[in-house]
Amino acid sequence: MLNRKNYKFWFCTGSQDLYGDECLEHVAQHAKIIVEKLNESGFLPYEVVWKPTLITSTLIRKTFNEANMDEECAGVITWMHTFSPAKSWIIGLQEYRKPLLHLHTQFNEEIPYDTIDMDFMNENQSAHGDREYGHIVSRMGIERKVVVGHWSDEVVQKRIGEWMRTAVGVIESSHIRVMRVADNMRNVAVTEGDKVEAQLKFGWEIDTYPVNEIAECVNSVSVADTMALVDEYYDTYDILLEGRDPKEFREHVAVQAQIELGFERFLEEKNYHAIVTHFGDLGSLKQLPGLAIQRLMQKGYGFGAEGDWKVAAMVRLMKIMTEGMKDAKGTSMLEDYTYNFVKGKEGILQAHMLEICPTIADGPISIKCQPLSMGDREDPARLVFTSKEGPGIAISLIDLGNRFRLIINDVKCKKNEKPMPKLPVATNFWEPQPDLYTGAEAWILAGGAHHTAFSYDLTAEQMGDWAAAMGIEAVYIDKDTTIRNFKRDLMLGDIFYK
Ligand code: MN
């Protein structure tokens, strides 16, 4: 479902003809070596492509416009090897519309003390040329990432790799299509929002279909297809009958298998990448989609419960940004449910009534079938598991009426202290940073929602850079957060993003 695209990033080196052809040959050679080594590093999720050295405003403009037009190009990496008078970059930068990275590096790692002369200085003057270039990008108010350090340094290579994922998030955001088969839950505020503004800012298309259109598609899935998927479930997951009749249990599971297949066909046919449902608006569906939605999320679809289209789009976005990541630990929708306030063991139990993505699971995954106190349908089958330990980020995108705000909280996921045998849902448990008390206070002051898009595999920096590229406010709740400073951040945001 994720349909990994073969994105590439262009490597554009700036220079000028003041120092002669031999110098320009060195510039090109150096850039080619850097590109080759970056591609060999193993830290970049996408390929870097070397482009001929840019020395005139005509060529710069042409190159940036070619980058705009090339569907495979997800961004341009710029580096001023020598001095490149920055007025030459103005028109090209004005017309450029994709993510921009300024790699502030130089070819040599160490100053060659014994041999350095003025020729060397003229040829290797990124410290000088990159400042001239940085000046014009700042003066033009263009959002870009600056990464500083020697290109052979793993830290630098990893930062370039992380930025590439952000850049793909920026490019892919405008391809996200969310299907709503139910409206937002009655009377709930935070799941609402301006869908037109979301399309203007993020490029998301958010459309509604009557729930019975997708229910008809579910009903048309054949018994044979449904039973084949049920067999797959039974091969993949532990079955926890908990006293239920095995045949009756299997029939409940089959309802979810039919929903998974019907939903997936409907989404594919209509080209949607995320979906929202609502337990109070299920039409002719026999169960609230639980296991079915969990499987769709695992395949890369975004999901938001109770009509929460902002979370659905964010989960989809974050799944695209982490796509193909080696050792990925998972991305899911989650919801703040219950606190543990015991000193030294503080945290928030994360769950939902059913729909947590199994990519975040740690250990075995089981199927349970239990009554749902919400809604009026038969007992839905769902996947039950606990989640991995380690750092992650919880994201909430809120609509403040005149603008969007992205709230980013670093969280530390922990094992549940004890098993919860009577809880029939998947869970995660985390301690928000800097601690539960400050983290929750800041989250509430910022207006953060109870639904979050969560990932182990992205950083606050990546999501903040994405927000900056979208032109919206991002606020960070992390190890450095104090309430006094956080309130000042919110006040500054109110002024700046008016
Ligand atoms: Mn909910």
Side-chain angles (χ1 to χ4, degrees), residues 113-132:
Y113 295 104
D114 298 336
T115 56
I116 190 165
D117 55 13
M118 275 321 288
D119 285 344
F120 181 90
M121 296 270 269
N122 286 334
E123 191 179 294
N124 297 280
Q125 52 179 213
S126 321
H128 171 151
D130 270 335
R131 280 172 166 74
E132 164 74 358

Side-chain angles (χ1 to χ4, degrees), residues 306 335 352 451:
E306 292 94 51
E335 182 170 76
H352 203 259
H451 288 164

